[in-house]
Structures are given as C-alpha cells and as structure tokens.
Amino acid sequence: MRKFVVKVSHTGLDDEMSHIETTIAVLRAKYPDDIQELESFRGEFTIVVEATALFDICKLLRHDPDLDYSFLVDLAAVDYYPRQPRFGVSYLLHAIKQNVRLRLKVLISGQSPTLSSVTDIWSSAEWPEREAFDLMGIQFTGHPDLRRILMPADWEGHPLRKDHALGYEEVQFSFNWREIDRRKEYPQE
Amino acid sequence: MSQVQEFAGTVEELKTLFSDRAVSGETMVLNLGPQHPSTHGVLRLMLELDGEEVVRCLPDIGFLHTGIEKNMEAKTYLKALVMTDRMDYLNPLGNNLTYCLAVEKLCGIEVPNRAQVIRVLCAELQRISSHLVWLGTSAMDLNASSILIYCFRDRELLLDIFELIGGQRMMTSYIRPGGVWRDLPDEFFPAVNDFLEYLPEKLADYERLLTRNPLFLRRTKDVGIVDADDALERGLTGASLRGSGVNYDVRRAMPYCGYEQYDFDVPLGNGCDVYSRYRVRMQEFHQSMSIIRQAISRLEPGPVMTDDRRFAPPPRSELGRSMEAVIHHFKYWTEGFSGPEGEVYVATESPRGELGCYLVGDGGAQPARVHFRTPSFHNLQSLPRMAEGYLVADLVAMIGSIDIVLGDVDR
C-alpha cells in the first residue's frame, strides 16, 4: 500500500481532501503517539490507530463540531493471517454534512483480541460488533449485549478466522449413497 | 468477558435479556416467527408484552446464515460473484453490481460507457421489482391482501426482462467484473417500453387503494416514529432514512456508474413514520422509471466488457481461431486473475439502503476478505427501539416499512 502524502491530487474534491486533512491535523495534535500509519489507496483514506486510544479517538471524531463524523457506516473485522498483528477492525466513518468518508483501523493480535466497544458513541455499532465477535472472535469490552448473532449459540470457534476450516458436504451418488450417509453427522434410525 | 463466551442460549441466561417483570410473570414473553408470514422470511422476534404493548423486542437472526463471506474467500474473484446473487434475493443485480464495483476499484478496471448505462438500467429495474415486492408484502401485513397478488403479477414482467438479459429470472450474475456478461438483446427494449407504459397506471391504482385509505392511514400514520438523528444513530439508510427527512442517497452522495449525469429527485418524507416511508418508496418508483428512460436514451453502441484482457475473457468468436485465446479462456476461468494488495469499500444504493462491499485483496486470485455492509442488517437493528411502546400490530407494520430481506440480514 502506498504511503499517505498530504497533497494528493484527488479527483477535484478539494472539500473532501481538506476535511480529511483537518481530521488528520486534529488527531496528530491530540494523539501524536497513537497514530501508527496513514494510508491512501484508490482514493480512500485509512488511519491506523493504537487499539488503546481507539475509544478516545472515536469520541473526538464523533463529538468535535469541526469533524462531526456522526454516522458509523460499517464495522468489519479482517483476519490478516499469517501477518502480525493478525486481526484488523475497520470502522468506516461518514461525516454527513461534508460528505466525507474515512476509515479508522486498529490492528490487534492474540487468540482473544480485545477492543473497547464504541456502542456508547454510535449505537449503530451494536450489531456489527456482535457480528465481529461472532464470526471473528473479537471481544468488545463495554458492549451491552455481546452474544453470538449469526451462528448458533453453541457453535465452537469463530468461522471467519483463517484457521477455521470451510467444511464441505460429501457429494452422494447412487452407488455410494449409503456409505456416505452413514458417515454424516445427523441423527439416524 | 469469560461469561460472555460461555453464553449458550439457555432459558436461564435468556432471562437476563428481559426485564424483571417478565421473570415475575407480570409481562409475557412471546415468540413471533421464525415461521411467520409478517416477518418477511425467517426472522424471529422475542417480544416481551404488557398486554398488547411491546415492552422489549429482541430480534433473533441467523436462521438464513450460509457463510457467504467465508465461501467467497475460497473462490476466485470471478467465481465469488455467484454468491452475491444469493444474499439479497430481491436485489441480485444490485448485489452483483456492488461486488463488481469493488473488484473494479481494487484492480483498477475501467468499465466501458455502454456497460455503465446497462448497469444503471439493471439497477433501476431491480429497484422497481424489489419495491413491488415490498409494496405487496407490507400492504398484505396490513390486511390489504389483494395488492400482493397485483404486485407479484407486475413483478413477473420484470423477472421476464431479467430472464431476457441474463438467462435467469433471479440469480442472473449478469453484471461481471469489467462490464456485463453480454449486450442487451433486441427484445429488451420493447419489453422495457411496454413495462414503462404499463406500470404508472397500475401504480396509480395501488395508490388509490392505499394512500388515502382511512384504514391504511390509521395503521401507518404516527406509527414507528424515528426522528432524523435517531435514524442516523441507529444506522438506518435508504428509503427508511429518507422517510425521516435525511437527504442521503448513495447515488447522489457518492455517485457510481455515472449516476451524477442523470436527472432525478431524491424523495424525502417528514413524517418519520411508516406512512412517510411508504410515500418515499412510492415516489421512488417514478424516479426509477425516469432514470430508466434517460438511460435508454443514453445507450450508445460500443463494447460492454473492458478490453483489458487481464480481467476480461476472450470473445467467443476468437476461440475457434486462436490457440492463445483458448489458453486464455481456460486460464481465465480456472485460475482467474490476481488482484493487488489493498482494501476498498464501495457503496451502492440498493432498494433497501446503502449496500457496501468491503473487499480486501492480498495479491492472490482470491479475495482475502469480503464483507458486505448490508442495509437490511443495519435497518433491522433499529427495530427494537422503534417498536418499544407500540402494539404488536404496529410492530408488523414497522417490519414491513423498513423493508428487510432476511437473506440480506444473515448472508
């Protein structure tokens, strides 16, 4: 990924650029040590921040009247295995008035990676965080109701992790139907 | 956090989700769904009721979870396309479009102009078809059951058009990375023109049945109120958000496929209620028809697939003459093409709201991660807060008004 350069010739959207520049300037001033990386790819801007500062940075982005990222569009967890740190969580923020989008990313590692929940800042994060917990096994501290959401409650493991096998169903033909049927995991007579 | 992980969904643990009044028996806990016609699929709602009044509403989803995101990681960029049809089954072309736009953005593919216009045509026809199902089902929830039959009759005409262009009624996979599968057949244009002449009259009929119908008004006015700030806060998008007066339409905010060149209005409502959302969607029918007319007049002859052969298959005509084309054809459909390392997010305006595709490439021929920001998932999230304090019958009207598709919620 290309490293971020502040003066990028963008597709004529000067307002968008300046809002992102303002955001970066504010973040740099307030959290100089917590910004790990600034990336720009295909016109999308990503700020990689320290997991420990995530909540405070989100709070600033949401409540600062100049920044005003009032809409959390999406929250997605990614497993970058074998890269370390292994997990990434992306927060796609939208400033409705300026029509600007910004991605905030945190990188975390470990078997049960933990982040602080942003449901207090954007309540729309509630279900996406549950989804990230369910499918990727990311713990969100401070979440009001962190249960599995898509998988059955007794499911073991987190299916979107790269070490969770995809699984398949053996194809049955008339000549081996019974043989395969015997192996299948469902109650039989 | 350990107790969270050990949660196994037993009755004891479910008690914590409801108020103490439910435990003492003062209020009643009732299951609505998953097999219930008014939940529009396999949505289960656990309701805590005080008489007829909803105290708490807990949606339980996942009955239709098929691991589409996981499956797409195991397929090449091209083969993963067919999974997208099956997410939001009322908007398969729109799902194709979103995924293809993401692949194109990641790989830097230029799409020819004619293909862009065809995509707009498909997306808008699909919007009308999806809104027809919404109109039919949500009206039937309010006991206007004849509308359902009328709407499905009209939708059949659109499904015939989709069969014409893609060979399939629903799972078309017609829009491909780099363009569209093939050019529009000649029969397409008379079929669409006939439909555009046919539909306004029918819509007027439906409006006559509903818009000023006192029974319909009493079921929908001042029901399920979400104000603008609350709607954004809960992640509502699409017609449900515009029904609360927020002027946010992805086609305007972040135009794709050349939507900025089309002249259309974004209908807004100010009632913030079920009726307001109904009015917004009814007006969107007319805007979509206008966009379709403009798109047909914009169609100019030209290629419908990118000429960058890294991402496009060789034309059929070359396969009989050129050995290189046969090799390319074979490698294209087996190995696929490699995408660069990077991550992109592309949003489109699906009939339900903002449909986004977050695509992470790792340099290989398969996506490293595909995540869909589906509008139904985020819209459904706002239901509990919307429903609290209303009657069960109103809850049914609200489910209809946020227009969820469970395939889109669960993926």
Side-chain angles (χ1 to χ4, degrees):
Chain A
M1 239 179 243
R2 192 156 50 89
K3 280 271 151 45
F4 180 84
V5 192
V6 174
K7 293 288 170 203
V8 208
S9 67
H10 200 244
T11 47
L13 301 167
D14 290 338
D15 292 344
E16 183 181 335
M17 276 313 298
S18 67
H19 191 74
I20 286 176
E21 277 167 25
T22 319
T23 311
I24 292 166
V26 170
L27 287 184
R28 273 210 173 120
K30 292 223 171 163
Y31 300 96
D33 303 328
D34 295 318
I35 299 175
Q36 293 175 340
E37 218 175 323
L38 299 164
E39 289 164 359
S40 156
F41 182 69
R42 308 269 191 239
E44 291 177 23
F45 295 91
T46 307
I47 304 180
V48 186
V49 298
E50 287 283 351
T52 45
L54 174 77
F55 188 81
D56 296 334
I57 288 178
C58 284
K59 212 169 185 172
L60 178 75
L61 292 173
R62 167 78 173 86
H63 293 298
D64 189 305
D66 294 335
L67 305 179
D68 197 21
Y69 287 92
S70 53
F71 180 26
L72 176 76
V73 184
D74 187 26
L75 188 157
V78 188
D79 183 358
Y80 291 108
Y81 181 84
R83 224 161 79 191
Q84 285 293 341
R86 184 174 155 186
F87 297 102
V89 180
S90 291
Y91 299 77
L92 190 67
L93 313 179
H94 188 101
I96 283 272
K97 277 181 209 126
Q98 293 84 359
N99 193 20
V100 169
R101 283 206 166 169
L102 175 75
R103 188 179 301 122
L104 206 63
K105 199 159 92 175
V106 282
L107 295 168
I108 37 179
S109 53
Q111 266 305 304
S112 61
T114 309
L115 275 179
S116 47
S117 164
V118 295
T119 44
D120 288 345
I121 306 170
W122 298 280
S123 55
S124 62
E126 193 181 325
W127 279 22
E129 282 186 355
R130 277 178 70 185
E131 190 192 330
F133 161 71
D134 185 1
L135 302 180
M136 203 65 95
I138 289 162
Q139 305 276 349
F140 292 94
T141 50
H143 189 285
D145 179 23
L146 196 66
R147 286 177 294 135
R148 285 193 181 274
I149 185 164
L150 292 174
M151 303 303 286
D154 56 354
W155 187 269
E156 281 173 28
H158 301 283
L160 273 181
R161 289 190 177 182
K162 293 284 183 197
D163 53 6
H164 196 103
L166 181 61
Y168 63 95
E169 184 137 349
E170 274 184 288
V171 186
Q172 286 166 296
F173 296 99
S174 52
F175 72 89
N176 62 5
W177 189 279
R178 291 208 167 157
E179 186 195 335
I180 292 178
D181 213 46
R182 233 172 279 138
R183 285 202 291 270
K184 281 201 170 172
E185 291 177 358
Y186 60 84
Q188 314 224 348
E189 289 172 23
Chain B
M1 295 313 289
S2 60
Q3 80 222 45
V4 163
Q5 270 197 313
E6 283 159 18
F7 185 89
T10 62
V11 175
E12 277 305 310
E13 282 156 319
L14 281 175
K15 278 182 185 169
T16 58
L17 300 173
F18 298 100
S19 72
D20 293 339
R21 293 166 68 204
V23 179
S24 70
E26 195 186 336
T27 55
M28 179 176 69
V29 175
L30 181 80
N31 263 316
L32 182 72
Q35 303 294 344
H36 191 282
S38 70
T39 56
H40 293 217
V42 282
L43 166 69
R44 174 180 170 220
L45 296 170
M46 289 181 279
L47 302 175
E48 184 185 339
L49 300 176
D50 184 358
E52 279 258 345
E53 197 185 301
V54 178
V55 181
R56 285 211 71 178
C57 163
L58 290 164
D60 182 15
I61 61 173
F63 292 94
L64 219 54
H65 179 62
T66 43
I68 282 179
E69 290 173 4
K70 179 84 175 169
N71 267 312
M72 286 173 84
E73 288 173 17
K75 297 187 188 311
T76 63
Y77 284 105
L78 286 168
K79 289 176 187 168
L81 174 72
V82 296
M83 309 295 297
T84 61
D85 286 308
R86 282 134 183 97
M87 285 193 321
D88 181 350
Y89 42 77
L90 296 183
N91 181 33
L93 283 162
N95 295 340
N96 290 165
L97 177 62
T98 315
Y99 174 70
C100 290
L101 286 173
V103 173
E104 283 151 13
K105 192 171 185 184
L106 182 73
C107 299
I109 308 173
E110 291 278 330
V111 179
N113 189 33
R114 187 176 170 87
Q116 304 251 26
V117 180
I118 293 176
R119 286 173 169 196
V120 170
L121 267 172
C122 291
E124 295 305 321
L125 285 169
Q126 190 78 75
R127 191 180 319 277
I128 292 179
S129 128
S130 170
H131 277 17
L132 279 171
V133 177
W134 157 78
L135 179 63
T137 51
S138 65
M140 188 184 68
D141 291 345
L142 304 176
N143 218 355
S145 40
S146 46
I147 301 230
L148 178 82
I149 311 295
Y150 294 146
C151 287
F152 270 78
R153 174 193 63 193
D154 300 346
R155 174 171 175 258
E156 205 62 25
L157 299 171
L158 282 168
L159 290 181
D160 287 345
I161 292 176
F162 296 145
E163 191 174 4
L164 209 58
I165 59 172
Q168 284 265 36
R169 285 151 54 86
M170 286 174 78
M171 307 305 167
T172 51
S173 294
Y174 173 66
I175 297 171
R176 305 268 169 97
V180 295
W181 171 42
R182 59 170 190 185
D183 207 344
L184 297 171
D186 293 337
E187 300 89 341
F188 173 80
F189 301 98
V192 170
N193 283 332
D194 286 351
F195 182 75
L196 291 183
E197 274 174 33
Y198 168 85
L199 188 64
E201 198 185 310
K202 298 293 169 195
L203 282 177
D205 279 353
Y206 308 151
E207 292 232 35
R208 261 199 295 280
L209 280 169
L210 292 176
T211 306
R212 280 188 291 280
N213 177 341
L215 290 173
F216 184 73
L217 286 170
R218 285 181 68 178
R219 292 295 303 276
T220 55
K221 274 256 179 195
D222 298 324
V223 166
I225 291 181
V226 193
D227 62 29
D229 289 340
D230 215 24
L232 265 183
E233 178 73 25
R234 296 299 290 182
L236 265 180
T237 48
S240 315
L241 178 65
R242 293 191 287 274
S244 298
V246 181
N247 189 353
Y248 175 68
D249 185 317
V250 182
R251 290 173 294 174
R252 272 280 158 77
M254 280 153 281
Y256 52 93
C257 291
Y259 263 112
E260 66 275 15
Q261 303 156 21
Y262 293 85
D263 180 24
F264 65 97
D265 291 334
V266 178
L268 295 177
N270 50 15
C272 308
D273 54 5
V274 174
Y275 185 70
S276 175
R277 283 165 231 148
Y278 159 80
R279 288 303 295 267
V280 167
R281 288 205 180 86
M282 290 311 279
Q283 292 171 55
E284 283 189 354
F285 275 115
H286 298 281
Q287 296 305 322
S288 287
M289 285 193 278
S290 148
I291 296 175
I292 291 169
R293 285 197 196 92
Q294 294 172 45
I296 290 183
S297 68
R298 274 169 186 279
L299 266 181
E300 282 165 14
V304 292
M305 186 51 114
T306 172
D307 56 2
D308 188 341
R309 288 291 177 87
R310 281 176 300 167
F311 307 112
R316 258 270 166 294
S317 57
E318 281 181 27
L319 291 182
R321 275 180 275 129
S322 155
M323 191 60 214
E324 284 72 23
V326 176
I327 295 169
H328 179 209
H329 176 85
F330 180 70
K331 287 185 81 93
Y332 179 83
W333 289 112
T334 51
E335 286 173 16
F337 53 81
S338 303
E341 203 181 323
E343 29 201 89
V344 292
Y345 178 90
V346 171
T348 61
E349 183 72 21
S350 99
R352 268 153 279 286
E354 173 169 344
L355 174 66
C357 179
Y358 176 55
L359 187 65
V360 181
D362 60 357
Q366 296 167 342
R369 172 89 164 96
V370 195
H371 171 79
F372 281 94
R373 185 255 186 238
T374 51
S376 303
F377 184 77
H378 286 77
N379 288 1
L380 182 58
Q381 185 176 216
S382 66
L383 185 68
R385 193 187 278 188
M386 208 187 274
E388 275 163 29
Y390 289 97
L391 306 180
V392 180
D394 296 335
L395 172 69
V396 169
M398 286 172 223
I399 301 173
S401 80
I402 53 172
D403 189 20
I404 48 166
V405 165
L406 269 295
D408 200 28
V409 174
D410 293 341
R411 305 179 307 286

